[in-house]
Amino acid sequence: MRTPVDRAILVGAPERGVDPRVGDEHLEELGRLTDTAGGRVVGTLVQRLERPHPRFYIGEGKAEDLRALVRTAEADLVIFDEELSPAQGKNLEDLLEVRVMDRSELILDIFATRARSREAKMQVELAQLEYLLPRLRRMWSHLSRIRGGIGLRGPGETQLETDRRLIGTRIADLKGKLREVAKARDIQRQSRQGQFRAALVGYTNAGKSSLLRALSGSELFVEDRLFATLDSATRSVELGGGHHALLTDTVGFIRKLPHHLVASFRSTLEEAREADVLLHVIDASHPGREEHRQVVAEVVEELGLRGHETILVFNKVDRLTEPERRALEARVRTLEAHAAVFVSALDPDTLVPLRETLKARIRARLSHVMVRFPSVDGETLAALYREGEVMERVDEGATVAVRARIPAELRGRLEARRGIQIQEVA
Ligand code: GDP
Ligand code: MG
């Protein structure tokens, strides 16, 4: 959406089997997306369908109603919750004489205005161009209608061909640049090797950034809007007892996230792939929380992260009544194997079990060893205190014996050094 004054009509056309409440929720979410994009909802239209109609997606009679509604509400934009084919989009624009978008296009638009880093901007542009390519003809007819001017009327096939070629070149160019950025990120990532890493994943607005802020004590952008954050952020989180984890906040997921976007954000989500554990954040107070959980689980699977250990983090429990909370806990106990914690990002006390859970994961990865080394080797002693958890230290004259839990990476380094003896402790 180019201006903050777009007056939008939302159209929902759920299949007949869909629960009406779920249909309402989807339309409500589309309204929030419209708001995030800077538009104003001035009307809605719903038709329950057996199956989509090829011409206008909705039935012809309903399309005529929509045309009348556009006139009376003085709308300049129509947004469909369902995905339109390029032909349906064009037919609808011809009939309604205003711009028509579907959910994917709206999400792409929001991402475009919210991307901050150079990488996110390139990722969004790539997704937009790939979305645009099969729809070029429609874009052209749209331009010629609003401008109506000479030279824009009915651009010839040559113009279309030229544009296709230009866009193709730009796509290749962006892909190349993104590969370079990904390489730089790989190097940065390698420097963090050996540290325990967790990634926050979850539906948009579930409270991922709020949690990272609460856990790390650092400032992060939080907003009651869909897609407040696009760029991933990594912070160090102190867990107590000398342990810490690197926690990464990633872009939120949403129902029907355009697959071009998922594809182009793959490298950002690479952070999640490398994580030791995924924290799947769920807004426990949202009526659609079960659907949200499934959407996130599907995207996680699509990204090839299914094998990762996942902890379900039910957030915003401050908004639940005591009986609601008990019902939720009972339900979660019946869920499959995932560990679950119940938290409120607004209340630091509730975060203790989450920290403990993370700490337990870290400790499970440490090996319990007895290390003997010359007492003059201050460097080894310092490393043990810095990177491990020292439990006992005995001075044996010229050598020191230290019993500690240490990460595999430190163990490897010590084993490579001369004069150091390492024994497993049962
Ligand atoms: P994200 O999109 O997952 O990063 O979500 P944000 O962290 O930006 O939070 C979305 C909205 O939910 C913001 O208005 C937060 O203030 C609010 N929020 C986050 N956590 C909680 C919580 O535990 N309780 C309540 N009541 N609101 C929360
Ligand atoms: Mg966020």
Side-chain angles (χ1 to χ4, degrees):
M1 262 172 254
R2 301 302 142 228
T3 56
V5 291
D6 273 316
R7 296 168 61 83
I9 290 176
L10 309 184
V11 181
E15 280 172 34
R16 266 193 213 287
V18 174
D19 180 342
R21 263 176 319 184
V22 172
D24 288 351
E25 235 166 63
H26 290 174
L27 221 52
E28 207 243 12
E29 183 178 86
L30 191 67
R32 286 176 56 101
L33 285 170
T34 307
D35 168 70
T36 302
R40 218 175 100 204
V41 178
V42 295
T44 54
L45 183 118
V46 175
Q47 183 179 34
R48 300 178 71 74
L49 293 173
E50 212 64 68
R51 71 182 66 83
H53 295 264
R55 186 130 180 257
F56 297 124
Y57 198 99
I58 49 177
E60 305 227 345
K62 215 47 176 183
E64 283 301 333
D65 293 352
L66 181 56
R67 184 182 153 87
L69 185 58
V70 166
R71 295 290 165 277
T72 51
E74 292 178 23
D76 38 38
L77 180 65
V78 169
I79 308 172
F80 271 68
D81 196 42
E82 281 72 23
E83 190 165 339
L84 300 171
S85 69
Q88 284 162 341
K90 178 169 185 342
N91 296 339
L92 281 160
E93 286 197 335
D94 289 346
L95 175 76
L96 304 172
E97 297 178 87
V98 293
R99 180 139 194 241
V100 175
M101 289 178 142
D102 60 15
R103 188 178 234 272
S104 293
E105 215 175 327
L106 181 62
I107 294 173
L108 282 169
D109 198 88
I110 292 170
F111 272 60
T113 57
R114 300 222 143 201
R116 290 287 167 271
S117 70
R118 193 172 86 94
E119 182 178 22
K121 284 183 180 153
M122 290 195 294
Q123 287 168 325
V124 174
E125 187 186 345
L126 177 62
Q128 278 184 317
L129 291 178
E130 292 191 322
Y131 182 87
L132 178 65
L133 210 49
R135 291 170 176 78
L136 262 190
R137 189 182 302 272
R138 171 179 147 210
M139 295 298 166
W140 263 109
S141 66
H142 176 67
L143 267 180
S144 61
R145 190 172 45 248
I146 38 175
R147 301 267 174 73
I150 303 160
L152 273 172
R153 246 178 319 226
E157 289 299 306
T158 2
Q159 185 60 57
L160 264 175
E161 265 322 304
T162 313
D163 285 3
R164 279 201 188 110
R165 227 182 9 255
L166 284 174
I167 290 176
T169 312
R170 179 70 182 148
I171 286 177
D173 177 44
L174 283 168
K175 282 186 173 162
K177 288 197 173 116
L178 281 167
R179 265 196 298 273
E180 305 260 297
V181 182
K183 235 183 275 166
R185 195 213 301 275
D186 269 350
I187 293 166
Q188 196 189 9
R189 224 183 357 240
Q190 272 158 23
S191 73
R192 297 194 195 126
Q193 233 158 40
Q195 306 196 56
F196 184 85
R197 282 179 290 171
L200 294 157
V201 295
Y203 210 76
T204 183
N205 217 47
K208 299 175 296 298
S209 301
S210 302
L211 273 171
L212 182 54
R213 182 161 79 169
L215 287 166
S216 70
S218 71
E219 273 313 307
L220 284 155
F221 188 55
V222 169
E223 196 183 14
D224 193 12
R225 277 226 153 118
L226 306 183
F227 300 114
T229 343
L230 280 191
D231 298 305
S232 65
T234 300
R235 298 284 181 278
S236 177
V237 174
E238 292 305 326
L239 299 170
H243 292 298
H244 74 276
L246 286 179
L247 191 53
T248 299
D249 184 14
T250 58
V251 58
F253 302 154
I254 196 165
R255 195 173 66 87
K256 295 193 191 158
L257 194 62
H259 66 268
H260 295 314
L261 264 183
V262 177
S264 60
F265 271 82
R266 214 166 252 278
S267 74
T268 309
L269 293 162
E270 205 60 35
E271 298 279 347
R273 194 189 308 277
E274 304 248 318
D276 297 293
V277 58
L278 299 182
L279 300 179
H280 176 169
V281 183
I282 299 159
D283 177 349
S285 70
H286 198 287
R289 93 186 159 214
E290 194 43 40
E291 190 191 10
H292 292 180
R293 191 174 72 80
Q294 265 157 25
V295 167
V296 173
E298 276 161 28
V299 184
V300 161
E301 174 153 6
E302 197 182 324
L303 290 166
L305 302 174
R306 195 172 45 155
H308 279 60
E309 185 188 3
T310 303
I311 299 169
L312 299 178
V313 181
F314 288 91
N315 187 32
K316 307 198 191 182
V317 293
D318 56 285
R319 289 200 186 154
L320 300 182
T321 62
E322 205 37 57
E324 277 171 342
R325 182 179 165 148
R326 274 199 300 273
L328 171 65
E329 290 187 2
R331 226 189 97 49
V332 169
R333 258 180 259 125
T334 68
L335 279 174
E336 69 278 41
H338 294 313
V341 290
F342 302 87
V343 303
S344 165
L346 308 184
D347 177 1
D349 290 345
T350 66
L351 301 177
V352 175
L354 176 55
R355 285 179 200 270
E356 289 302 321
T357 306
L358 286 173
K359 205 155 70 179
R361 294 301 185 284
I362 293 178
R363 298 190 76 201
R365 273 154 217 264
L366 300 178
S367 46
H368 190 183
V369 289
M370 180 70 90
V371 188
R372 281 199 172 75
F373 53 95
S375 46
V376 291
D377 185 356
E379 201 184 318
T380 296
L381 188 64
L384 286 168
Y385 273 102
R386 196 175 50 235
E387 296 167 51
E389 192 183 332
V390 174
M391 288 134 91
E392 199 186 347
R393 171 184 167 185
V394 185
D395 289 296
E396 300 170 337
T399 55
V400 190
V402 170
R403 188 162 65 83
R405 290 184 198 279
I406 59 172
E409 200 255 344
L410 174 59
R411 183 173 177 164
R413 259 190 292 140
L414 295 182
E415 273 166 352
R417 268 193 233 166
R418 235 178 251 278
I420 299 181
Q421 221 191 4
I422 302 176
Q423 265 178 316
E424 201 83 36
V425 177

